[in-house]
Amino acid sequence: MGTEIERKFLVNDMTWKPSRKSLDVIQGYFPTNGFSLRVRVQDDRAFLTLKKSKSQISRHEFEYEIPADDARELIGLFCGSEVIEKTRHLVEYKGFTWEVDEFHGRNAGLVVAELELENEDQPFEKPSWIGAEVSQDSRYLNANLARCPYSTWKK
């Protein structure tokens, strides 16, 4: 069984740019209750992922690579409007790879940075462009952004 331990932060400014590696990502979410089932197309690769919360920053995670054409078809057939589009930038900082997601479409204007850790208490240093932590705010989970996009939030 896999476990994902992830901290999530808002991004204060764009001084992290440019990153050396960026990926175009489309994620579709299947209607579920109590867990997340998503299909992700990331450039020319695709994955089917199941997640279930263990704690506020840890989740059980099972991920399987699938053909990209199958993933696109699954998104079209089963995900409806529960889709997010983003560009993921991989930014190296003091021994860690930060995943900075610039959202598009219905979540345009939202930029978050995620950091995967080996354990919940693992220390790390935040870059200057990192803002408030939103790890415990469920609105920022990608599955919830697909259902209730950033553009619909009251500012």
Side-chain angles (χ1 to χ4, degrees):
M1 172 185 334
T3 298
E4 172 188 64
I5 301 169
E6 181 179 84
R7 304 273 299 267
K8 189 176 291 207
F9 301 85
L10 296 177
V11 173
N12 278 339
D13 60 59
M14 302 306 262
T15 57
W16 55 270
K17 283 188 160 184
S19 75
R20 294 183 194 174
K21 177 84 172 150
S22 296
L23 306 164
D24 290 321
V25 178
I26 298 173
Q27 292 178 181
Y29 290 85
F30 297 83
T32 60
N33 190 12
F35 67 98
S36 170
L37 175 58
R38 96 173 165 221
V39 61
R40 170 190 284 171
V41 179
Q42 188 170 280
D43 285 343
D44 61 343
R45 298 180 70 195
F47 303 89
L48 188 63
T49 307
L50 291 94
K51 292 185 183 187
K52 183 171 176 64
S53 291
K54 290 172 69 171
S55 74
Q56 297 253 323
I57 63 171
S58 296
R59 284 169 282 292
H60 298 286
E61 179 181 60
F62 300 89
E63 185 166 78
Y64 307 95
E65 190 160 3
I66 63 173
D69 288 340
D70 287 359
R72 288 183 193 91
E73 190 169 353
L74 287 168
I75 290 171
L77 289 172
F78 297 104
C79 298
S81 64
E82 293 190 16
V83 175
I84 61 171
E85 301 166 79
K86 61 187 177 180
T87 301
R88 172 164 282 176
H89 305 276
L90 305 178
V91 181
E92 301 296 326
Y93 184 80
K94 300 213 175 186
F96 289 92
T97 301
W98 290 80
E99 296 176 342
V100 179
D101 289 342
E102 282 187 281
F103 288 85
H104 310 295
R106 299 181 310 149
N107 287 295
L110 179 61
V111 181
V112 298
E114 299 175 352
L115 183 63
E116 290 200 20
L117 302 171
E118 293 178 17
N119 62 66
E120 290 191 9
D121 299 323
Q122 184 176 357
F124 61 92
E125 188 174 328
K126 291 186 231 175
S128 62
W129 42 266
I130 289 295
E133 182 165 7
V134 294
S135 301
Q136 298 180 17
D137 187 337
S138 63
R139 294 178 303 164
Y140 291 94
L141 292 172
N142 285 320
N144 290 340
L145 289 170
R147 293 178 184 98
C148 184
Y150 182 69
S151 63
T152 66
W153 296 5
K154 292 181 182 180
K155 305 296 181 207

